[in-house]
């Protein structure tokens, strides 16, 4: 059994949003095989209640508090230092001291880093194997944001994309292995960083198909007689805000003309003021819910109309696991290993969203057929353990070599 230092930018529990789903399952996978020392941040006070749960999984843990407002102000140091703003946002002296002490006193065999920002904590003096899970090419996300915003934010996002890419390339070049959530993301990175060829691989997301199972019995959260169309996700995340705003403006009028009882449910924590303003007769904004599964289980359709989407969307896999018909944008669909038209549906524009949502809402047989095929696709292709096994071969041999056993 090896000792692993695992660095994550957000407490990997509860697994209630995209990055935390992946980081939690990676933690769980590592802890079943190794002693894990976790260094992480808490940026949501509600997560403090879950620290002891994570502590019970780990051999050691350090949790740094992060106030998003203060962190944003601190990130402005990057403008002076010619750094991506992401790095000072996640910089904490006490966490760095804990990392240094842990590497010095706990005989760490390998370091696993989740997200590029946490690579800044990797000790430069220690010749340890380092595995980085970038998940997505974050620099490309910021560059996409630039195209969607006016100056000065467009300039700021473009700058972040450029400087963060340079940082991603630098740390990937030094890492033993770097991982991305899809082969498309890995290929995108390699086109920008050809010097990293041979040291980059894809590890797909998975889904807990027992937890997200249609057999669970839930009371419907929806009034009788309406046709609920559901979107799930963290509603302070700009791509999600953009997605639901576009769907309400461009799709809902046409959908309501076809099905007057259709109602769009935006289900997720921390809705911004812009999201809350969407609420009305045709739109419900729930805010945080105790369990997202009843909303998925009783949805007439689940939509993922993201126009900016990096990697695999967990929201899509979870809805498919619940045997619901999913209609996704082309941007979302490209990362999903499923058959368009059979296991999920793909809409290229507002007109196709109206047409496809209408078809499954008004046609229960079609909805059941797509939902059943979706569930089967998840069971066949999206096991967490099967995907995360891809990291094991890079940890065990590396750790043994570090200990002088090879």
């Amino acid at each position: 059994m090896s000792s692993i230092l695992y660095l994550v930018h957000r407490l990997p529990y509860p697994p209630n949003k995209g990055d935390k789903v992946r980081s939690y399952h990676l933690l769980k996978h590592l802890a079943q095989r190794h002693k894990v020392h976790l260094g992480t941040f808490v940026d949501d006070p509600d997560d403090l209640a879950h620290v002891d749960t994570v502590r019970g999984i780990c051999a050691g843990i350090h949790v740094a508090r992060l106030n998003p407002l203060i962190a944003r102000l601190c990130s402005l140091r990057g403008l002076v230092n010619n750094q991506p703003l992401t790095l000072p946002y996640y910089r904490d002296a006490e966490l760095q001291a804990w990392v240094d002490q842990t590497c010095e006193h706990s005989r760490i065999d390998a370091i696993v880093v989740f997200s590029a920002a946490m690579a800044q904590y990797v000790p430069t003096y220690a010749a340890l194997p380092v595995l980085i899970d970038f998940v997505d090419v974050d620099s490309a996300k910021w560059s996409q944001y630039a195209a969607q915003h006016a100056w000065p934010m467009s300039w700021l996002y473009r700058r972040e994309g450029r400087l963060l890419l340079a940082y991603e390339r630098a740390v990937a070049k030094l890492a033993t292995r770097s991982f991305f959530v899809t082969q498309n993301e890995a290929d995108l990175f390699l086109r920008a960083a050809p010097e990293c060829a041979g040291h980059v691989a894809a590890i797909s997301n998975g889904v807990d198909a027992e937890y997200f199972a249609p057999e669970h019995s839930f009371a419907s959260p929806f009034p009788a007689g309406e046709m609920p169309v559901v979107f799930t996700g963290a509603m302070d995340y700009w791509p999600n805000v953009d997605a639901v705003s576009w769907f309400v403006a461009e799709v809902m009028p046409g959908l309501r003309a076809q099905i007057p009882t259709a109602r769009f449910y935006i289900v997720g924590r921390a809705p911004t003021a812009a999201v809350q303003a969407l609420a009305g007769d045709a739109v419900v904004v729930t805010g945080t819910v105790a369990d997202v599964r009843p909303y998925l289980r009783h949805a007439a359709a689940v939509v993922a109309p993201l126009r900016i989407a990096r990697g695999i969307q967990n929201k899509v896999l979870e809805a498919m696991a619940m045997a619901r018909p999913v209609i996704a944008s082309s941007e979302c669909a490209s990362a999903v290993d499923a058959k368009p038209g059979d296991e999920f549906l793909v809409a290229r524009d507002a007109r196709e969203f109206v047409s496809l949502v209408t078809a499954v809402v008004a046609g229960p047989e079609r909805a059941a057929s797509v939902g059943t095929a979706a569930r089967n696709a998840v069971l066949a292709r999206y096991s967490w353990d099967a995907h995360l096994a891809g990291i094991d071969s890079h940890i065990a041999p590396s750790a043994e070599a570090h200990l002088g056993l090879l």
Side-chain angles (χ1 to χ4, degrees), residues 1 7 20 121 150 168-169 175 227 231 233 240 337 366 395:
M1 178 179 285
L7 302 172
K20 293 173 72 172
Y121 291 98
E168 290 168 342
R169 292 178 68 173
M227 292 294 183
F231 175 93
N240 287 345
D337 183 11
R366 173 67 168 152
I395 289 181

Side-chain angles (χ1 to χ4, degrees), residues 5 7 38-42 61-66 77 88-103 118 120-123 125:
L5 175 63
L7 302 172
L38 172 69
T40 190
F41 287 95
V42 164
I61 184 173
H62 179 86
V63 177
R65 294 290 299 271
L66 187 150
R77 296 172 185 166
Y89 186 96
Y90 286 107
R91 189 165 295 147
D92 183 86
E94 290 185 2
L95 177 56
Q96 184 67 70
W98 177 84
V99 168
D100 294 340
Q101 292 168 8
T102 300
C103 288
M118 300 304 289
Q120 66 184 306
Y121 291 98
V122 174
Y125 56 80

Side-chain angles (χ1 to χ4, degrees), residues 112-187:
V112 177
V113 178
F114 188 92
S115 82
M118 300 304 289
Q120 66 184 306
Y121 291 98
V122 174
T124 56
Y125 56 80
L128 292 170
V130 177
L131 305 171
I132 300 181
D133 187 359
F134 284 97
V135 188
D136 304 321
V137 185
D138 275 347
S139 55
K141 174 189 70 177
W142 291 109
S143 297
Q144 281 186 298
Y145 284 5
Q148 300 287 332
H149 290 78
W151 191 90
M153 297 307 297
S154 60
W155 171 83
L156 192 66
Y157 291 151
R158 193 171 295 110
R159 176 191 183 276
E160 186 70 5
R162 173 174 52 82
L163 293 179
L164 189 56
L165 175 60
Y167 179 76
E168 290 168 342
R169 292 178 68 173
V171 298
K173 190 175 180 180
L174 295 175
T176 308
R177 199 78 170 179
S178 298
F179 300 100
F180 292 87
V181 71
T182 67
Q183 191 59 50
N184 285 345
E185 287 291 297
D187 291 342

Side-chain angles (χ1 to χ4, degrees), residues 291-366:
D291 192 340
V292 73
R293 292 175 297 170
Y295 291 86
L296 295 175
R297 177 67 183 84
H298 294 281
V302 177
V303 294
L306 281 86
R307 300 191 292 175
I308 295 177
R310 303 238 58 88
I312 297 175
Q313 299 296 313
N314 288 301
K315 59 175 66 69
V316 171
L317 299 183
E318 291 165 358
M320 290 174 65
M322 294 289 291
R324 304 319 302 144
V326 176
I327 302 93
S329 64
S330 301
E331 290 80 359
C332 280
S334 62
V336 180
D337 183 11
K339 297 176 183 177
D342 293 327
E343 296 167 341
F344 75 136
L345 305 175
V346 182
R348 293 169 295 182
D349 53 30
R351 181 183 59 81
E352 288 194 351
F353 262 107
V354 171
S355 176
L356 292 172
V357 174
T358 298
V360 297
V361 168
E365 291 184 0
R366 173 67 168 152

